[in-house]
Amino acid sequence: QEGATIIPIFFFGNTRLFTVVGSDSTNTWLQRLSRKLRASVVFFYGRNYLPVPYRQHIHMASGPKVTVKQNANPTTEEIDEVMDRVIKSLNLLYEKQKPSWEDRPLVIK
């Protein structure tokens, strides 16, 4: 609505700062507890099993800006078109600037 310029930004390496307990399993007791409590229960640790992050490089990258026209009442099609441009810009940013150690594909749902 405001016509603000959107600049996609991605941080590489932030998922390597902590170890998340049970993140490699599909049906853990933590997931069952989270569903029962209807709240996310997450246990994580870093250096020396403390909540102190591991020493890792974090790489911040910014992509090409997405210009949006000001429109007080945008239609659903206009919103979808802007969102498609933002996603394309993020994909371009990810593929162009990902570090050599990053081997996972970008997934946007």
Side-chain angles (χ1 to χ4, degrees):
Q1 292 176 343
E2 301 298 323
T5 300
I6 300 170
I7 301 175
I9 296 177
F10 196 89
F11 289 89
F12 295 96
N14 57 342
T15 57
R16 299 168 58 169
L17 295 177
F18 294 100
T19 299
V20 178
V21 176
S23 64
D24 51 356
S25 300
T26 56
N27 191 15
T28 65
W29 63 275
L30 279 174
Q31 289 174 341
R32 291 191 300 272
L33 178 64
S34 293
R35 286 188 187 109
K36 187 165 186 97
L37 295 175
R38 301 180 87 190
S40 180
V41 179
V42 178
F43 295 114
F44 64 93
Y45 60 89
R47 284 187 277 165
N48 301 321
Y49 295 95
L50 296 171
V52 177
Y54 296 116
R55 292 182 187 265
Q56 295 287 336
H57 291 287
I58 296 178
H59 176 72
M60 185 194 98
S62 60
K65 65 182 180 180
V66 177
T67 306
V68 182
K69 295 178 186 174
Q70 186 173 2
N71 185 350
N73 296 312
T75 64
T76 305
E77 292 81 20
E78 292 171 333
I79 294 170
D80 290 342
E81 187 265 330
V82 169
M83 193 64 191
D84 287 342
R85 290 187 0 223
V86 170
I87 290 172
K88 284 179 187 176
S89 183
L90 263 174
N91 281 320
L92 178 67
L93 160 70
Y94 186 84
E95 292 304 323
K96 190 174 182 182
Q97 296 192 32
K98 72 178 174 182
S100 59
W101 44 261
E102 182 61 73
D103 56 356
R104 296 175 296 178
L106 178 64
V107 178
I108 300 175
K109 294 182 181 183

